[in-house]
Amino acid sequence: MRKSHHSLHGLLRRSLLRSVVCMILPVCVLAGLLVVLTQRYGADIALTTRASEVRTVLVQDLPDEVWNVVSGRISFEDGRQRMLIDSALWELNDMLDSAGEDEAQYLNAALRAIRTIDSYVDQLETQMDAGAAVSRNESLYREIHSVGHLAGSMLDRYIENEIARMGRFNARIQHGLGAAALALIALVGVMIWLTIRASDNLEGAIGASLRQLEQFANRIAAGELTERVPPTEIDELHLLTCDLNTMAEQLGALIHERVEQEKTIKKAELRALQAQITPHFMYNTLETIVWLAEEGRNSEVVEMTMAFTGFLRISLSRGADYITVEREEQHVANYLQIQSVRYGGIMRYTIDIDPALHERYMLKIVLQPLVENAIYHGIKRRRGRGQITVTGRRQAGGMYFAVEDNGMGMTPERLAEVRASLQNGAPLDPDGKGGYGLRNVEQRLRLYYGCGLTIESEYRHGTRISFTVPDEQEGKTL
């Protein structure tokens, strides 16, 4: 088998060398060709775009600016006509440096027209300084308008010529890509042939050992974690064999650890659900609905009932761990709508979440406990009406959310205590009852994302609690 080891190594090396030789040259040629073609095409598009922008200035912007001057809407000194003319002249002179003979004739014609417009603008300034009649100024405006359209027509011809040239260039690109495709097809054919040969040569050497490893992997997948694969005589597979045996030994411990972790997560979810849908909250909500009904405020009864129903529906979410940001926003909105009926005299709220995040996914029930914390520990302790703001923005590397209130805030000592308690999991209050929802959100964020809450607070000015989670396009479960 030692001879097979050397033969296997040699076959792999020779196969690799053949593959590299067959791939590197065509790939380099194609890459260089694509870079040159892309740069050339991009330069032509840029010239066409610049010509179109200058045409807009000459046909629309400049005549409009002159008319504003002639009609007396703005003074000559406040007008932008000089700046627009200078900008157009600079752009066309810069384009002329790289233009061909056919394109240059149209650019030169446009330049002459702009210089004519410049002289008309000088004449207009002289007339206006001398207090000339409006009819004379309007006559100059018409001349500027006419010459501007003439220059625009020249630029239209230039753009048409550029587009035609790009069309011819595009045809050459298509032919080049066709040839490149044929070369790649031939390259793939060679690679397939080399792969088949290498596969035939390697099958006899390592086929039996690989089948043995495959059977062992199938037994592991079936749950037979006590199975072990016997040592192989092929050195290249020796490390893999050892790793598979080690994996089988560790899988049992990992499965046990995973089960315990899932239990912890489910307990945290249950505690989050229980923390927000407490009998006290439900009783208060239902009592408020009854009170509104007794008062004959039927429309508010319907709104609050629908908000409560939506709140419960999103809270359950059919057992899903993740929901869209839009549904999480609806969940918070439903909760705030319910609470605003009870605390309308002392609470205002704003939800400002970027609509671009609506289709993204996040862990459910993380914003509502923070809002509840802001109401009970911030707004209710403040004299006068308070403000709660829920914010959501996209940041580099994830999605940023914050719940901010202008309530009593915390002293530096209390803020340090709260941060420390979230880090070590200790109760926020001596009796262990306060800040339950805050600790729950912190725990769930760390379990699902490996990150926690950021708390900022200033005494008598308010508190902001924020966190950043990955920007995910699909929901997932642990």
Side-chain angles (χ1 to χ4, degrees), residues 313-325:
R313 183 182 298 112
I314 297 176
S315 296
L316 297 175
S317 301
R318 299 180 180 178
D321 297 320
Y322 289 78
I323 59 177
T324 61
V325 173

Side-chain angles (χ1 to χ4, degrees), residues 17-73:
L17 289 175
R18 284 195 296 265
S19 300
V20 170
V21 171
C22 292
M23 291 178 62
I24 192 169
L25 184 59
V27 168
C28 290
V29 172
L30 289 176
L33 179 63
L34 287 176
V35 169
V36 172
L37 293 178
T38 301
Q39 291 178 345
R40 174 71 180 279
Y41 206 70
D44 289 342
I45 292 176
L47 286 173
T48 304
T49 302
R50 292 173 66 184
S52 178
E53 292 173 350
V54 174
R55 181 190 180 280
T56 301
V57 170
L58 297 175
V59 175
Q60 180 176 343
D61 297 345
L62 182 58
D64 288 348
E65 194 70 16
V66 173
W67 174 250
N68 287 334
V69 173
V70 171
S71 62
R73 295 179 182 176

Side-chain angles (χ1 to χ4, degrees), residues 163-185:
I163 292 175
R165 191 161 65 89
M166 285 192 292
R168 295 189 297 272
F169 185 63
N170 184 64
R172 292 197 297 271
I173 291 177
Q174 296 298 325
H175 287 97
L177 291 177
L182 293 176
L184 287 176
I185 291 173

Side-chain angles (χ1 to χ4, degrees), residues 57 62 65-66 69 76-89 114-115 117-126 129:
V57 170
L62 182 58
E65 194 70 16
V66 173
V69 173
F76 189 92
E77 292 75 11
D78 293 334
R80 298 184 302 123
Q81 58 275 2
R82 296 290 190 190
M83 182 190 70
L84 294 175
I85 292 173
D86 292 342
S87 175
L89 286 172
I114 295 174
R115 294 188 183 98
I117 293 174
D118 193 23
S119 67
Y120 284 151
V121 170
D122 290 339
Q123 185 178 348
L124 176 62
E125 181 180 15
T126 301
D129 289 342

Side-chain angles (χ1 to χ4, degrees), residues 325-337 347-355 357-358 362 365-375 379 386-393 400-406 463-467:
V325 173
E326 182 178 18
R327 287 180 62 79
E328 181 73 6
E329 180 180 353
Q330 292 172 355
H331 186 251
V332 172
N334 289 331
Y335 178 78
L336 282 168
Q337 184 178 354
M347 183 187 79
R348 293 178 300 182
Y349 67 88
T350 301
I351 300 177
D352 182 19
I353 295 179
D354 188 352
L357 300 179
H358 280 176
M362 65 181 296
I365 314 176
V366 289
L367 293 178
Q368 181 271 333
L370 303 183
V371 171
E372 181 179 358
N373 184 80
I375 294 175
I379 300 301
Q387 171 73 33
I388 293 177
T389 303
V390 181
T391 306
R393 294 286 183 270
Y400 169 84
F401 296 94
V403 175
E404 184 174 1
D405 67 76
N406 62 348
T463 301
R464 180 193 294 117
I465 301 178
S466 61
F467 61 90

Side-chain angles (χ1 to χ4, degrees), residues 69-344:
V69 173
V70 171
S71 62
R73 295 179 182 176
I74 59 176
S75 65
F76 189 92
E77 292 75 11
D78 293 334
R80 298 184 302 123
Q81 58 275 2
R82 296 290 190 190
M83 182 190 70
L84 294 175
I85 292 173
D86 292 342
S87 175
L89 286 172
W90 185 88
E91 288 285 349
L92 293 184
N93 280 311
D94 187 63
M95 294 166 58
L96 191 61
D97 293 338
S98 58
E101 183 177 352
D102 292 338
E103 294 84 3
Q105 62 178 334
Y106 301 120
L107 293 178
N108 283 321
L111 283 169
R112 288 192 296 271
I114 295 174
R115 294 188 183 98
T116 301
I117 293 174
D118 193 23
S119 67
Y120 284 151
V121 170
D122 290 339
Q123 185 178 348
L124 176 62
E125 181 180 15
T126 301
Q127 289 183 182
M128 294 190 73
D129 289 342
V134 174
S135 59
R136 293 184 61 190
N137 295 337
E138 290 179 349
S139 175
L140 276 177
Y141 161 75
R142 287 190 293 271
E143 291 295 333
I144 292 173
H145 185 275
S146 175
V147 176
H149 276 75
L150 175 62
S153 66
M154 292 297 100
L155 290 176
D156 286 338
R157 299 288 299 276
Y158 171 82
I159 292 173
E160 291 172 1
N161 194 66
E162 282 292 316
I163 292 175
R165 191 161 65 89
M166 285 192 292
R168 295 189 297 272
F169 185 63
N170 184 64
R172 292 197 297 271
I173 291 177
Q174 296 298 325
H175 287 97
L177 291 177
L182 293 176
L184 287 176
I185 291 173
L187 176 62
V188 170
V190 173
M191 292 299 301
I192 292 175
W193 179 74
L194 292 175
T195 302
I196 293 175
R197 284 199 58 185
S199 177
D200 292 340
N201 293 332
L202 294 175
E203 175 62 26
I206 62 174
S209 296
L210 290 178
R211 283 190 292 272
Q212 186 179 43
L213 292 174
E214 180 183 4
Q215 293 171 1
F216 172 70
N218 289 334
R219 291 195 298 269
I220 292 296
E224 301 177 13
L225 301 179
T226 58
E227 292 289 333
R228 297 292 181 272
V229 64
T232 178
E233 296 181 0
I234 300 178
D235 290 347
E236 286 86 349
L237 298 178
H238 178 72
L239 183 59
L240 176 60
T241 301
C242 295
D243 289 342
L244 285 174
N245 287 329
T246 302
M247 178 191 69
E249 294 174 0
Q250 294 178 349
L251 271 178
L254 291 175
I255 290 174
H256 176 74
E257 181 181 349
R258 177 63 178 275
V259 170
E260 293 301 318
Q261 185 183 46
E262 289 183 350
K263 288 180 180 179
T264 301
I265 292 173
K266 294 304 178 183
K267 289 178 181 178
E269 290 177 345
L270 181 59
R271 288 197 297 270
L273 196 58
Q274 292 171 343
Q276 61 166 336
I277 314 177
T278 60
H280 181 70
F281 172 68
M282 294 180 68
Y283 293 157
N284 286 337
T285 302
L286 294 175
E287 286 178 357
T288 304
I289 293 174
V290 171
W291 172 70
L292 291 173
E294 290 175 346
E295 292 288 323
R297 296 156 66 176
N298 295 334
S299 61
E300 295 181 57
V301 170
V302 173
E303 291 178 2
M304 191 165 183
T305 303
M306 294 302 295
F308 187 52
T309 302
F311 177 82
L312 295 176
R313 183 182 298 112
I314 297 176
S315 296
L316 297 175
S317 301
R318 299 180 180 178
D321 297 320
Y322 289 78
I323 59 177
T324 61
V325 173
E326 182 178 18
R327 287 180 62 79
E328 181 73 6
E329 180 180 353
Q330 292 172 355
H331 186 251
V332 172
N334 289 331
Y335 178 78
L336 282 168
Q337 184 178 354
I338 294 170
Q339 295 292 48
S340 65
V341 176
R342 296 183 58 205
Y343 301 105

